[in-house]
Amino acid sequence: VQLQASGGGLVQPGGSLRLSCAASGFTLDYYAIGWFRQAPGKAREGVSCISSSDGSTYYADSVKGRFTISRDNAKKTVYLQMSSLKPEDTAVYYCATNLQQYCTAGYDYWGQGTLVTVSS
């Protein structure tokens, strides 16, 4: 099981970025994928998740209405579209899977992370 996050970078407040999570070594179609982030000096937090069963999506309150998670199973990729970015969104973003259909606990497989910096 391998996950590779990409798409991070430096963006001004109010800007947008799209993160990608490329999956390999397992069949993405069957499993939920979550996005997490860790800001400097803070604990890792869950940002969003998309299930495999019915494509249900979940968002942390802090990103609801600004971030959109989606998946393209044919491309073996999950995306996190981030808009109206704020300085407090600055963090290393990780994708992970629990190898289950639903967005439950137990994320044992993690990508390497991609840095998002929101600053003017």
Side-chain angles (χ1 to χ4, degrees):
V1 175
Q2 287 192 324
L3 296 166
Q4 184 168 358
S6 63
L10 174 64
V11 62
Q12 292 187 341
S16 299
L17 275 178
R18 187 177 78 161
L19 304 184
S20 299
C21 176
S24 61
F26 67 107
T27 304
L28 178 65
D29 311 43
Y30 301 143
Y31 302 113
I33 298 291
W35 282 98
F36 299 79
R37 68 185 181 186
Q38 187 165 21
K42 295 189 177 181
R44 186 170 60 199
E45 64 172 344
V47 174
S48 182
C49 182
I50 185 165
S51 72
S52 66
S53 56
D54 58 2
S56 296
T57 57
Y58 304 90
Y59 299 95
D61 287 344
S62 58
V63 306
K64 210 170 285 185
R66 300 188 297 120
F67 290 12
T68 302
I69 191 170
S70 62
R71 61 193 299 150
D72 185 335
N73 290 334
K75 294 184 178 179
K76 300 181 181 181
T77 302
V78 172
Y79 303 99
L80 185 68
Q81 178 68 48
M82 308 186 296
S83 303
S84 301
L85 283 162
K86 305 175 182 180
E88 51 264 42
D89 294 317
T90 295
V92 177
Y93 285 71
Y94 302 88
C95 56
T97 183
N98 54 11
L99 289 185
Q100 300 181 39
Q101 294 182 44
Y102 302 102
C103 293
T104 57
Y107 290 86
D108 293 329
Y109 301 92
W110 294 79
Q112 84 288 3
T114 186
L115 176 63
V116 173
T117 303
V118 185
S119 175
S120 55

